[in-house]
Amino acid sequence: MSNQTAKLDIDYTNERVPQEARRGFLKMFMIMMGFTFFSASMWVGQKLAEGLDFQQFIGALVFGGALLGAYTGALGYVGGESGLSLDNLAIRSFGRYGSYLPSAMISFTQMGWFGVGLAMFAIPVATQLLGGDKTVEYALVALAGVCMTASAYRGIKSLTIISFIAVPCVAILGTIAMVMAVMQGNGSIIEQFAVKTTDLGVIGGAGLVIGSFVSGGSATPNFTRFSKSGKMGCIISIVAFFIGNSLMFCFGAVSSIFVGGNDIFDVMLKLNLFYAAILVLGLNIWTTNDNALYSVGLGLANIFKMKKSTMVLVAGLIGTVMAEWLYYNFCGFLNILNCTLPPVGIIIVVAYFTNRKAFVTDTVKIKNVDWGAVTGVIAGAVVANFVPWGVPSINGMVVATLCYLAGQLINLPSVKQ
């Protein structure tokens, strides 16, 4: 690609990010932290508080966070060292046409969560402002959709700016509210956690921790490809996912204990921090939604061979129009899809490390379809969704890995470039 074309595409949609475009530790850390500030993770925090005592809660965070960190850290390393997006990595591991499957899956899932995020902002704010007036609700969905789509349209630079604003605000204000809530509660935090209504267990809790963001974490290379090295991408991913996710779980758990809700927004309202609550809720959703829509743009650009920015606008419009319907009808289906994306990520990791030199030097023999990879995703998704024991996403990744490796060993037929 010529220098002139490269300057027009600062997001390097179809090529490797060159070293001169890579970013330092702080910028990348802020981007990844903003990505992990996922409001739906607070729902998981509520479930953890209802089913675990405090010691079990910490155990689930550590165990689940370690496994999630290992997965996202591996993807972060691959993205940082290769400089390639998830979709470009998929082309090299799934094949030119086979890559449409992971691109479609990540695009569909992240566009769905984008719409859900808009409603998660608009519904509680409209309820507090005018008792849930639908006109206000729709107006807030539209306003948030336009703002978030506009910033995602601007690409990685805009994501960086939003993250530098949002991450400190959400972390500081949310933590202050959480501490205030605990101090005003009846008894110590350990005593409050002890009043649980179910018996989830550490393993069950860890499964929820992993499942909360393992689908979004599959898109990690889309961002860590801007890291200066694979090591930096790995470290940033592990630390950001552990800190960011844990903070969201704590917000949700304290909300459950203090007000019986699942969002730090509810806690801040209880503490008469109305405007701070709107700020935290909005910024929290904005960072995740921006990153999600950015990934959708890259995925759809791979499928339809159009500009990433154009695909962001299309996806943002669809997500905004469908936001209310997605929120009320689609969350369960999106959670099913959460189990289908980890097989994609683990196949990319295995393909990369079993053929690392070819990936780095761009000498991979690109197939039309790698049937071992495609079979691995389908089989892994089935196992993850229907096998009742263990951790669903881990089960799916194990099966996907075995299928992919078997496909390479028996050299399933495919037309090469």
Side-chain angles (χ1 to χ4, degrees):
M1 181 175 286
S2 67
N3 290 334
Q4 183 179 0
T5 305
K7 288 180 181 177
L8 294 175
D9 184 14
I10 62 172
D11 293 295
Y12 302 93
T13 305
N14 300 311
E15 61 182 314
R16 196 182 303 273
V17 178
Q19 279 298 323
E20 60 268 21
R22 304 294 183 100
R23 294 161 177 257
F25 187 92
L26 182 59
K27 288 183 178 180
M28 293 308 306
F29 180 70
M30 284 296 187
I31 290 173
M32 293 306 295
M33 278 290 288
F35 187 33
T36 63
F37 280 4
F38 184 39
S39 288
S41 293
M42 288 188 276
W43 298 350
V44 176
Q46 179 187 32
K47 292 181 180 179
L48 294 175
E50 292 172 350
L52 302 173
D53 60 31
F54 186 69
Q55 185 176 1
Q56 292 174 321
F57 176 75
I58 297 300
L61 291 192
V62 172
F63 183 45
L67 293 176
L68 182 61
Y71 174 66
T72 58
L75 284 168
Y77 183 92
V78 170
E81 184 174 69
S82 69
L84 296 170
S85 68
L86 173 75
D87 304 282
N88 282 313
L89 288 164
I91 290 172
R92 290 155 174 79
S93 50
F94 284 78
R96 183 183 295 104
Y97 303 125
S99 69
Y100 294 172
L101 175 62
S103 290
M105 289 168 60
I106 197 75
S107 298
F108 191 63
T109 307
Q110 295 306 299
M111 183 163 54
W113 281 119
F114 172 82
V116 170
L118 295 178
M120 287 177 67
F121 170 75
I123 292 172
V125 173
T127 300
Q128 292 300 318
L129 288 175
L130 288 172
D133 182 271
K134 280 296 180 181
T135 302
V136 175
E137 198 172 292
Y138 295 147
L140 286 173
V141 166
L143 177 61
V146 169
C147 291
M148 294 175 190
T149 301
S151 55
Y153 175 85
R154 300 294 297 174
I156 195 69
K157 288 186 176 180
S158 182
L159 265 61
T160 305
I161 294 171
I162 296 296
S163 296
F164 265 92
I165 296 171
V167 169
C169 286
V170 173
I172 293 171
L173 292 176
T175 301
I176 289 173
M178 182 172 61
V179 172
M180 289 174 64
V182 171
M183 292 177 65
Q184 292 184 21
N186 297 320
S188 67
I189 186 69
I190 295 176
E191 292 172 334
Q192 293 178 54
F193 261 92
V195 187
K196 58 181 182 178
T197 57
T198 60
D199 189 13
L200 184 60
V202 174
I203 301 300
L208 290 177
V209 168
I210 297 167
S212 68
F213 208 49
V214 71
S215 64
S218 300
T220 296
N222 287 341
F223 311 104
T224 59
R225 64 197 174 109
F226 288 94
S227 301
K228 289 187 178 296
S229 67
K231 182 179 179 180
M232 179 188 288
C234 176
I235 294 172
I236 287 172
S237 299
I238 293 173
V239 175
F241 269 89
F242 187 78
I243 294 176
N245 256 14
S246 295
L247 198 57
M248 291 299 106
F249 296 141
C250 289
F251 287 171
V254 169
S255 175
S256 174
I257 292 170
F258 187 61
V259 296
N262 56 22
D263 199 313
I264 197 66
F265 179 82
D266 300 322
V267 174
M268 298 180 86
L269 291 179
K270 182 77 172 181
L271 296 170
N272 296 316
L273 300 172
F274 177 70
Y275 295 107
I278 293 178
L279 179 65
V280 167
L281 180 67
L283 290 176
N284 188 15
I285 291 173
W286 197 330
T287 54
T288 306
N289 267 16
D290 258 13
N291 290 43
L293 201 56
Y294 181 84
S295 292
V296 176
L298 292 173
L300 294 181
N302 177 46
I303 297 172
F304 296 106
K305 309 305 177 188
M306 297 180 69
K307 290 183 179 179
K308 186 263 322 174
S309 54
T310 302
M311 293 293 93
V312 165
L313 292 178
V314 171
L317 176 62
I318 295 172
T320 302
V321 171
M322 299 289 289
E324 294 266 334
W325 184 87
L326 288 167
Y327 181 81
Y328 289 111
N329 299 282
F330 210 51
C331 284
F333 188 58
L334 286 171
N335 284 324
I336 292 174
L337 290 177
N338 280 352
C339 294
T340 67
L341 282 170
V344 170
I346 200 65
I347 286 174
I348 286 175
V349 169
V350 173
Y352 184 83
F353 284 108
T354 55
N355 204 14
R356 186 175 178 183
K357 184 177 180 180
F359 270 80
V360 173
T361 58
D362 235 357
T363 56
V364 178
K365 293 181 179 179
I366 299 176
K367 303 175 181 179
N368 278 342
V369 179
D370 187 307
W371 291 106
V374 172
T375 302
V377 169
I378 296 172
V382 170
V383 169
N385 282 293
F386 294 104
V387 173
W389 48 265
V391 178
S393 53
I394 301 297
N395 295 342
M397 285 191 274
V398 171
V399 171
T401 299
L402 294 175
C403 289
Y404 174 75
L405 292 175
Q408 307 316 298
L409 287 174
I410 65 177
N411 193 24
L412 289 174
S414 179
V415 180
K416 295 185 179 181
Q417 186 179 24

